[in-house]
Amino acid sequence: MTNKWVSFIKFALVGAVNTLIDFVVYALLTKIGVNYILAQWISYSAGILNSYIMNRKWTFERKEKSSKREVILFVIVNLITLSLTSFLLTVLYNKWGISLLISKLLITIASVGINFIGTKLFVFTTKKERGIHI
């Protein structure tokens, strides 16, 4: 199996853990009456914190200390993903009348692909992969 596939499988496994965290926090927050979009932002944030730690250490096996660039790009990629998923959640739930749980599941599946591409291409790259030869 190629290194790219191993990275994607690890990313997907980390994503499963993140999704579990996301869904549990989301369910708890909406159960106590928190607005579904605010709950989405809070639960997603809990998942991305775990994502950063696990993907950095395990999926992409970064040994060096985190850089400001890496953290900022990670946050940007995840804010883009979060914005897209919030928009899609609103469309599926409010416009199309799909249940909140099914809507959340559908947007979570879509977010995995978007997030992997952004994370792989922009966040956990080496200077060599970015074309910087120092």
Side-chain angles (χ1 to χ4, degrees), residues 3-12 14 51-64 70 74 115-126 129:
N3 218 14
K4 289 179 183 182
W5 281 107
V6 171
S7 289
F8 183 76
I9 291 168
K10 285 181 173 182
F11 188 87
V14 170
S51 175
Y52 180 77
I53 294 165
M54 287 186 72
N55 279 317
R56 182 171 211 293
K57 293 179 186 271
W58 186 55
T59 305
F60 299 106
E61 300 175 4
R62 295 295 181 234
K63 307 277 189 251
E64 70 280 357
E70 181 182 273
F74 183 82
N115 203 273
F116 178 76
I117 292 167
T119 302
K120 178 71 177 150
L121 292 178
F122 300 110
V123 180
F124 297 118
T125 59
T126 63
E129 290 168 332

Side-chain angles (χ1 to χ4, degrees), residues 1-119:
M1 194 174 325
T2 66
N3 218 14
K4 289 179 183 182
W5 281 107
V6 171
S7 289
F8 183 76
I9 291 168
K10 285 181 173 182
F11 188 87
L13 291 171
V14 170
V17 172
N18 300 337
T19 300
L20 181 62
I21 291 168
D22 182 6
F23 269 78
V24 167
V25 171
Y26 186 81
L28 291 172
L29 290 173
T30 55
K31 181 77 172 166
I32 63 171
V34 174
N35 173 275
Y36 71 98
I37 291 296
L38 179 58
Q40 168 69 5
W41 280 71
I42 293 169
S43 66
Y44 188 87
S45 296
I48 67 166
L49 177 60
N50 182 69
S51 175
Y52 180 77
I53 294 165
M54 287 186 72
N55 279 317
R56 182 171 211 293
K57 293 179 186 271
W58 186 55
T59 305
F60 299 106
E61 300 175 4
R62 295 295 181 234
K63 307 277 189 251
E64 70 280 357
K65 186 178 175 185
S66 296
S67 67
K68 285 181 185 177
R69 175 201 169 278
E70 181 182 273
V71 172
I72 290 169
L73 287 174
F74 183 82
V75 169
I76 290 169
V77 165
N78 279 281
L79 283 174
I80 290 168
T81 303
L82 179 56
S83 297
L84 287 170
T85 60
S86 294
F87 171 74
L88 291 172
L89 183 63
T90 299
V91 169
L92 293 176
Y93 179 61
N94 283 333
K95 302 287 185 204
W96 294 359
I98 298 172
S99 80
L100 208 47
L101 183 60
I102 299 299
S103 295
K104 175 74 172 158
L105 180 63
L106 292 173
I107 64 160
T108 299
I109 292 167
S111 74
V112 171
I114 295 166
N115 203 273
F116 178 76
I117 292 167
T119 302

